[in-house]
Amino acid sequence: MQTDKERYLWLLSRLLSGDISGEEQRELEALTHADPQRRKESEWLQAYWKNNEEKGDEDSTRAAFARLTTQMNAADPALWPASDVKATAVIPENAGEAAEQYLAEEQAPPVKWYMLLARMAAAIFFLVGTWYLLDSTGLLPGREDGLRAEYNIRGTRSHIKLADGTSVWLNADSELKYPLRFKGGTREVYLKGEAFFEVTPDAAKPFIVHTETMHINVLGTSFNVKAYPGDKVTEATLISGAVEVQLKNQADKKIRLKPAEKLVVTNGKDSMQDQPQPGVPVISTATYFPKEDSAIIETAWIDNKLIFHDESFTSLATRMERWYNVSIRFENTTIQQLRFTGMFRNETVTQALEALQLTEQFNYRRGEDAIIIY
């Protein structure tokens, strides 16, 4: 099964070859717009390919196609026969020039088909080679200072191993930018969204996580950061070790967290009633669910659990959108204030909503582009 990146590369090669269908082009646009970094890369690759195509010639295109068919034949001879020569027809001596010309045309290789595939092959060779070469070195355009970007669309999670051995679990709808190699006296990464870090200790090189509202400085520890740009709050939850948090709007103030402590900072001007004023840091304890269990709500997503405790429907709906890759809208604002406690793991979004209906009364329907709660 193709990954999103592999599918994206294939569709982009179809676009460059001029053989993409309308449905495939719409799919390509959806994959491109789902990732802001991919949009930049797509524009650059198309411009680079156009320039490369203008400088190319038919011989190089045929050579690229020949390399592709050789590789396919070596991998599976039945998939791509080594010879595609038609049987030679016998032309009677008295057939005349017209018959000879007709049969010659019938037996001639389908040049248009050949060149179309050759053009596609050249596009694929160029794209895949260029992509992975630049991606492996962190030099794709749009990546500041050679930073590599890992982005998860909604409904997906991933694990990243950094050069120093640090492990990062990246949640849905999140982006992490990091260098392939850490240079200098620090190890710095940039996060939009949510991630859990298990940092390899190195007293000589502090590990720093940058978000829109705070810098988190650690030496070796495990912690969770939730910093979605559109959310009401930014959270840093320490599991083990020690971290020091510096707020961007209070550069002279540094806050140290102890294990099982959580720092919450309200973003923007529209703060919630149960949250402090914007920019004011509050330290609380990590939330366990249930009380006698060792599962921490803030990090349960790593174990593929969506746990919520006395959470408003508005907040839960936002998390469910990322978890299930759906859009949820409310027609009744009163329902947004309903509060829920529970856990989802393998349930579908329909099963999850039906489970919530067992504790609170509300209805829902599926629209063309969203689930409507009323």
Side-chain angles (χ1 to χ4, degrees):
M1 183 178 180
Q2 287 180 314
T3 64
D4 281 349
K5 178 178 285 188
E6 291 168 342
R7 182 64 176 169
Y8 161 71
L9 285 173
W10 167 249
L11 291 172
L12 187 54
S13 70
R14 296 271 291 173
L15 175 66
L16 297 180
S17 73
D19 193 45
I20 192 170
S21 67
E23 183 177 351
E24 287 174 331
Q25 187 156 357
R26 287 190 290 273
E27 182 183 358
L28 175 61
E29 291 173 355
L31 287 171
T32 302
H33 289 292
D35 182 354
Q37 184 65 41
R38 192 176 290 163
R39 288 201 298 270
K40 297 178 183 177
E41 293 166 355
S42 176
E43 292 172 0
W44 181 82
L45 285 172
Q46 289 186 62
Y48 197 99
W49 167 252
K50 182 178 180 181
N51 181 63
N52 182 76
E53 181 185 39
E54 291 173 350
K55 295 179 181 179
D57 55 35
E58 184 173 314
D59 289 339
S60 61
T61 301
R62 288 178 181 271
F65 180 68
R67 290 195 299 271
L68 178 64
T69 55
T70 300
Q71 291 175 3
M72 292 180 69
N73 181 60
D76 188 352
L79 181 64
W80 192 275
S83 176
D84 192 31
V85 180
K86 293 185 178 181
T88 303
V90 178
I91 306 174
E93 293 183 1
N94 59 353
E97 292 184 3
E100 291 183 10
Q101 181 179 356
Y102 172 78
L103 289 174
E105 290 176 354
E106 284 296 298
Q107 295 182 78
V111 176
K112 185 177 180 180
W113 169 85
Y114 180 92
M115 286 308 300
L116 175 61
L117 286 184
R119 186 176 167 84
M120 288 181 63
I124 294 170
F125 271 113
F126 168 74
L127 275 174
V128 175
T130 303
W131 177 285
Y132 285 106
L133 175 63
L134 297 181
D135 188 54
S136 63
T137 57
L139 296 177
L140 274 172
R143 295 182 177 176
E144 301 83 353
D145 301 324
L147 293 179
R148 185 172 187 171
E150 180 81 13
Y151 175 75
N152 287 344
I153 63 173
R154 290 182 175 186
T156 63
R157 289 166 287 280
S158 63
H159 175 249
I160 307 166
K161 197 79 169 181
L162 302 184
D164 65 336
T166 292
S167 285
V168 184
W169 285 263
L170 190 64
N171 207 347
D173 195 20
S174 301
E175 180 185 62
L176 181 72
K177 291 184 177 181
Y178 59 96
L180 287 180
R181 297 178 184 82
F182 292 108
K183 300 177 182 179
T186 60
R187 297 170 288 167
E188 301 184 45
V189 299
Y190 301 82
L191 175 68
K192 289 183 180 180
E194 185 169 18
F196 179 82
F197 297 84
E198 282 188 353
V199 179
T200 299
D202 187 346
K205 288 188 176 183
F207 191 95
I208 304 174
V209 180
H210 298 282
T211 74
E212 285 192 348
T213 59
M214 62 178 67
H215 309 289
I216 303 166
N217 191 327
V218 305
L219 293 177
T221 183
S222 59
F223 59 99
N224 193 79
V225 180
K226 186 179 180 184
Y228 287 101
D231 280 7
K232 297 287 186 180
V233 298
T234 296
E235 300 178 0
T237 305
L238 180 63
I239 305 303
S240 63
V243 299
E244 184 177 75
V245 181
Q246 181 182 29
L247 302 182
K248 286 189 175 181
N249 63 348
Q250 300 179 41
D252 58 334
K253 186 175 183 179
K254 297 181 179 179
I255 303 168
R256 285 185 172 270
L257 294 181
K258 299 176 182 178
E261 285 187 336
K262 177 173 68 174
L263 177 67
V264 181
V265 179
T266 303
N267 304 323
K269 299 179 180 180
D270 300 324
S271 61
M272 296 179 290
Q273 292 182 354
D274 56 348
Q275 294 294 339
Q277 292 298 313
V280 177
V282 173
I283 298 177
S284 62
T285 57
T287 311
Y288 291 84
F289 179 84
K291 296 298 183 182
E292 63 273 12
D293 196 350
S294 59
I296 299 177
I297 290 179
E298 287 81 3
T299 59
W301 63 270
I302 303 171
D303 297 319
N304 202 33
K305 297 177 182 178
L306 179 61
I307 300 181
F308 43 100
H309 176 71
D310 192 30
E311 189 167 347
S312 70
F313 208 167
T314 300
S315 175
L316 179 57
T318 299
R319 296 177 65 195
M320 290 176 68
E321 287 181 324
R322 294 173 182 143
W323 192 264
Y324 292 110
N325 189 20
V326 297
S327 295
I328 299 176
R329 295 204 303 265
F330 290 89
E331 285 189 347
N332 188 334
T333 55
T334 302
I335 295 178
Q336 292 178 264
Q337 308 309 316
L338 297 177
R339 307 191 77 83
F340 296 94
T341 296
M343 177 180 69
F344 299 139
R345 187 165 189 173
N346 298 318
E347 292 84 354
T348 64
V349 65
T350 299
Q351 292 171 331
L353 289 168
E354 290 174 351
L356 294 177
Q357 286 180 317
L358 296 177
T359 60
E360 295 289 352
Q361 187 172 358
F362 68 89
N363 296 305
Y364 74 92
R365 68 176 184 273
R366 285 185 172 272
E368 291 184 2
D369 59 350
I371 295 174
I372 313 300
I373 308 294
Y374 64 98

